[in-house]
Amino acid sequence: MKLIHSVFEPAGDGPHPAIIALHGWGANALDLMGLAPYIAGGKFMVICPQGPMEVPVGPVVGYGWFPIRMGTPPREDQIDEAVDSAAEFIDAALKRYPVNPRKLVMLGFSQGGVMAFRLAFRNPERYAALVGISTWFPPELKKNLANADAIQQLPTLLQHGRADDMIELSRARESLEHLRELKVPVTFREYDCGHEITASSLEDLSE
């Protein structure tokens, strides 16, 4: 498996319901792992791959999925390369770990949410649900949908903080409208928080 990753495995032999959790810009494979024992009481295997790009964050190094430059949209070829790498990782993870393939959830936070949308829309039949937290939906995905019927069967949860100063709430609301246009079964939740995951959002995610 080419991507560094962390894994939370529930008690028992499995196969387990599982979440592929993609971190945000400047984080790492451990960033979302702390959520694992609290999501549905720790019943899900949680697999957290690490983005392949090094991102200097002050004196330390974080990681990202594709380059971000202020004032310039990301390059499609770099995003496609990142999605290909993540898809290859998921294929390998499902072979290595005792995952129930019928109960696989794709989750992404911030930049990882953009990746989650792209991965899920590329292969919607693979996932039982999609979760985007503090992120935005890439509107270019609305073009030339090859799997529209399957996408309309993919339960999707969007969560966003009203005080998010990294990705404005308006972008989340725009994402909601894009998904509704595509007839995706989407649930949207706002919270009194910033660019973060709170106890309230974690509770809603578990439900």
Side-chain angles (χ1 to χ4, degrees), residues 5 23-24 42 45 48 58 60 63 95 113 145 176 178 198 200 207:
H5 59 285
H23 66 76
M45 172 171 279
C48 300
V60 300
Y63 297 87
K95 292 177 182 177
L145 286 178
L176 174 62
H178 289 313
T198 67
S200 296
E207 291 178 2

Side-chain angles (χ1 to χ4, degrees), residues 1 21 58 62 107 135 143-144 150 161 169 191-192 195 205:
M1 299 176 73
L107 178 149
T135 189
K143 303 175 183 177
N144 303 318
L169 179 59
Y191 304 92
D192 291 322
H195 195 67
L205 172 60

Side-chain angles (χ1 to χ4, degrees), residues 61-184:
V61 174
Y63 297 87
W65 296 99
F66 52 84
I68 294 177
R69 297 177 181 86
M70 294 297 293
T72 304
R75 282 173 39 187
E76 279 295 318
D77 62 322
Q78 293 175 327
I79 299 175
D80 288 342
E81 183 179 349
V83 173
D84 288 343
S85 175
E88 182 180 338
F89 169 84
I90 293 168
D91 288 341
L94 296 187
K95 292 177 182 177
R96 173 175 292 192
Y97 298 111
V99 170
N100 183 340
R102 300 185 64 184
K103 296 183 178 180
L104 180 65
V105 176
M106 171 57 67
L107 178 149
F109 178 85
S110 195
Q111 190 189 60
V114 177
M115 292 285 294
F117 280 122
R118 287 180 175 271
L119 286 159
F121 271 49
R122 176 185 286 195
N123 192 2
E125 297 90 348
R126 164 170 275 182
Y127 302 102
L130 169 63
V131 181
I133 305 173
S134 299
T135 189
W136 72 94
F137 174 79
E140 58 271 19
L141 291 184
K142 296 166 66 176
K143 303 175 183 177
N144 303 318
L145 286 178
N147 302 305
D149 290 343
I151 288 168
Q152 291 171 6
Q153 304 299 318
L154 182 62
T156 299
L157 173 65
L158 296 183
Q159 299 182 323
H160 214 93
R162 296 187 184 95
D164 193 329
D165 59 355
M166 299 289 291
I167 300 170
E168 293 183 359
L169 179 59
S170 60
R171 298 190 73 183
R173 291 175 174 170
E174 289 172 1
S175 299
L176 174 62
E177 293 309 312
H178 289 313
L179 291 168
R180 283 175 172 169
E181 288 174 18
L182 295 173
K183 299 182 180 179
V184 175

Side-chain angles (χ1 to χ4, degrees), residues 36-50:
Y38 304 102
I39 298 175
K43 296 177 182 177
F44 279 77
M45 172 171 279
V46 180
I47 303 172
C48 300
Q50 182 168 285

